Structures are given as C-alpha cells and as structure tokens.
Amino acid sequence: MILTVRDIEVTFRVGPLLNRRSILAVAGVSFDVAPGETFALVGESGSGKTTLANAINGLQDTSRGEVTFMGQRVDNSNPGEMKPLRRHMAMMFQDPVGSLSPRMKVGDLVAEPFRIHGIRINLQEETRRLLSLVGLSGDFADRYPHQLSGGQARRVGVARAIALDPKLIIADEPTAGLDVSVQGEVLNLLNDLRERLGLAMIIITHNLHVVHHVADRMAVMYLGRIVEAGETEGMFRAPAHPYTATLLSANPEPDPDKARNRISLPAEVPSLLARPSGCEFHTRCPWVQDRCAMDPPYTANGEMHRIACHYPLAPGARPPAKDRAL
C-alpha cells in the first residue's frame, strides 16, 4: 500500500476562551490506498472529509492514530521532515481560482514546485510541457488567474499537482463550481493522467456521479467516521449501510420514476458537540431498532467490504412506507 491510515482522530477546541470544549471532527478513521488506485471519500458537507485530507498531507495535526506514506510516518511531522515527501504527495484544493496566487502568472505558478524544491530544470520548457499535458496551450503561461475560467484554473491546478511526478494526488472537490460539461473534461483528464503516470488518487466529494465515474473504491463518512467502505460498483449496486442507501437514493437521476424511490430522513444532522450515543446515524435512520443505541462494530461484510451497522441492509431493501419520500 502506498498510503495507510489507522485510527486517525482530529479534535478542535471551540467556544469562549474560558469555557472551551473539544469536538471530534475525525473519529477513528482507517483505510488504505494502493498504488495506481482511485479512492473516494464521500459524505455531506461537514462530515470531516477535508479535515481528514489535511491530516493525511500534514496540514492538520492529529490527536491520535497513524498515517504512513511510502513506508514513512507523516502524521504530526514537522515541515522539515515532510518536505522530501511533498514531492510525492500533491494536493488539489477545493477552490480552483482561490488556490492560485493572483499576483503570479500561470507559468510561475506551475514552475513554483521546482523552485521550492531546488530542482534545476528549464522551467519555461517544463511549464509548457505540463500545460500541454492538461490540455492548455503555452500561451496560458503569460496569463493571470483572474483571466482564467473555472475549468482552466482547475487544469492549472492539475498541472501544478503533477509537476514533480507525485505518487499520490489528493483532490478536494475537483469538480466543484464547474459546469457539467467541464466537470466531465476534468474527470477524464484526471483519469487519463492516472493511467499514464501511474498515480494513486484520493477524490474528496459529495458528488456521487463523480465517484461512480472515477473511483475504484469508496468510503462513506458520517460525523467524522467511515460507516461503509468497499468497491465502488458493489456499493452503488447494493449499499449495506442505511446512510449510504440514503445518499445514493438522493443522487439526481434523469428518470422521473426513480425520483419516487428516494429515502427521506426525519431529522437534521446532529451537532458534533452533541454526538448521539451508539450508532450516530440512529437518530435519523429509517430502519432504527433498539440495539442501535449501542456502538456498532466496524466489521467485514464480504471480501472487500466493511460496514459499521448492527443490521446491514439486504440488496434492494426499502424503509417502512412512512419514511419514503413522495
């Protein structure tokens, strides 16, 4: 495995200075990523996906657990220890334009990783090669970020990410804010680069169409925990956790008849300051039973499938009629 994450926890202090409380933003997450694999982290906004990504790449300290990348521990490492590994782990941030310095031209932005790591190379030639790889002409090197569309800015972000031939790219909402047609272009670009360069990728998103299109495996997060993980195709075909089934049922479909099969939830997402006991989804779960007030084990549910649920769903399971959306 190129990346191993074990029991990662991230906590934040919140509230007034004299009466601060801690919230558990990432709660005991574990998963692996193999070389050349695309792994997706899925969940609602606020489920801890970006915080987890920042913990993996060293931008956020962890309170517990281990992150091992290419055989080396990276959690809570100091900048000096992380710098050699930065060449092999690249980050694509959520805002394609906001992640680019407005004072620098595109050519300088793409060449910046080489300058930071002291790599001597023909920067002008390499910049044009990288821009060509992501489908942009060399003329873009002289533009500023405000002169780019969202799709063009995202392509520049991809060029920066692959500049140092990384082994792993973490892409946070790579299609956010883009038109549907541009989303498809960016996803096809990432897929093509992964195959050509042998990259492993972590895609962070709440867009399930993106996941189905690019991910080999996926993990579903709820309140900072992974509630289900497995092969993407299998989870789309037969989700075993009620929360996964609910997310998939809400995925937009062009067929109006399928919209009638959506699962509605009876309550809002609980606050991280007041986590429910036991299975944290039980306050909203249409299939809830008394045992759900106790912690569910995170166990195997097949060869490549893990789930945290006392009562995994059978394929095609539907909630009681009163909990179905009209």
Side-chain angles (χ1 to χ4, degrees):
M1 293 296 172
I2 193 170
L3 177 73
T4 301
V5 178
R6 288 291 177 269
D7 299 319
I8 281 295
E9 291 186 355
V10 177
T11 57
F12 295 110
R13 300 294 299 277
V14 297
L17 184 62
L18 298 179
N19 188 27
R20 289 202 166 186
R21 303 169 62 187
S22 294
I23 62 170
L24 193 57
V26 176
V29 168
S30 299
F31 65 89
D32 301 311
V33 179
E37 178 183 41
T38 298
F39 182 81
L41 287 170
V42 179
E44 296 171 273
S45 297
S47 60
K49 306 184 300 296
T50 297
T51 300
L52 175 59
N54 289 338
I56 292 170
N57 64 26
L59 297 178
Q60 173 63 55
D61 287 341
T62 60
S63 52
R64 180 172 171 266
E66 298 181 1
V67 179
T68 304
F69 176 61
M70 296 178 62
Q72 184 173 334
R73 284 279 299 272
V74 297
D75 49 286
N76 298 332
S77 298
N78 64 50
E81 294 173 334
M82 277 296 294
K83 186 173 181 179
L85 289 175
R86 294 283 185 205
R87 293 188 58 174
H88 305 292
M89 183 191 297
M91 184 77 184
M92 289 171 53
F93 294 97
Q94 186 168 342
D95 185 345
V97 178
S99 62
L100 304 177
S101 171
R103 300 189 179 201
M104 297 175 68
K105 292 183 177 180
V106 166
D108 294 325
L109 289 165
V110 174
E112 189 176 25
F114 299 103
R115 296 191 178 97
I116 291 173
H117 288 273
I119 299 174
R120 297 191 175 184
I121 195 171
N122 186 325
L123 293 179
Q124 185 175 9
E125 183 178 310
E126 184 65 12
T127 295
R128 292 182 179 274
R129 184 186 74 84
L130 289 167
L131 290 175
S132 176
L133 269 179
V134 299
L136 296 176
S137 67
D139 296 340
F140 278 85
D142 293 322
R143 298 189 188 184
Y144 285 94
H146 73 270
Q147 296 173 307
L148 306 176
S149 67
Q152 291 166 347
R154 178 56 77 197
R155 288 174 183 270
V156 172
V158 174
R160 276 163 49 101
I162 65 174
L164 301 179
D165 295 324
K167 304 299 183 184
L168 173 69
I169 289 180
I170 303 174
D172 190 359
E173 297 285 3
T175 60
L178 303 179
D179 292 339
V180 174
S181 60
V182 180
Q183 289 182 21
E185 292 175 3
V186 171
L187 292 177
N188 290 334
L189 170 64
L190 291 174
N191 240 354
D192 179 58
L193 290 173
R194 178 180 67 87
E195 293 175 358
R196 291 169 60 185
L197 304 178
L199 299 168
M201 297 185 66
I202 297 176
I203 302 288
I204 299 166
T205 185
H206 59 263
N207 187 328
L208 293 172
H209 288 298
V210 169
V211 175
H212 205 183
H213 185 68
V214 303
D216 302 301
R217 291 188 302 123
M218 62 184 283
V220 178
M221 293 188 70
Y222 183 76
L223 290 183
R225 298 188 195 278
I226 290 179
V227 296
E228 185 174 5
E231 293 182 336
T232 301
E233 196 59 43
M235 285 178 61
F236 268 76
R237 184 174 59 252
H241 195 283
Y243 180 61
T244 308
T246 302
L247 286 181
L248 292 175
S249 78
N251 202 27
E253 291 281 355
D255 185 348
D257 291 332
K258 289 189 176 182
R260 296 179 180 274
N261 292 322
R262 291 179 181 171
I263 302 170
S264 63
L265 296 182
E268 295 183 1
V269 180
S271 168
L272 290 176
L273 289 170
R275 284 177 174 272
S277 59
C279 174
E280 291 161 340
F281 187 60
H282 85 268
T283 59
R284 309 173 70 203
C285 181
W287 289 271
V288 65
Q289 299 186 42
D290 292 343
R291 189 182 174 193
C292 299
M294 297 184 293
D295 290 334
Y298 187 57
T299 56
N301 188 44
E303 185 178 353
M304 299 289 292
H305 194 181
R306 297 183 69 84
I307 182 175
C309 183
H310 291 296
Y311 304 101
L313 302 179
R318 298 295 301 164
K322 66 183 179 63
D323 293 314
R324 296 184 191 176
L326 298 177

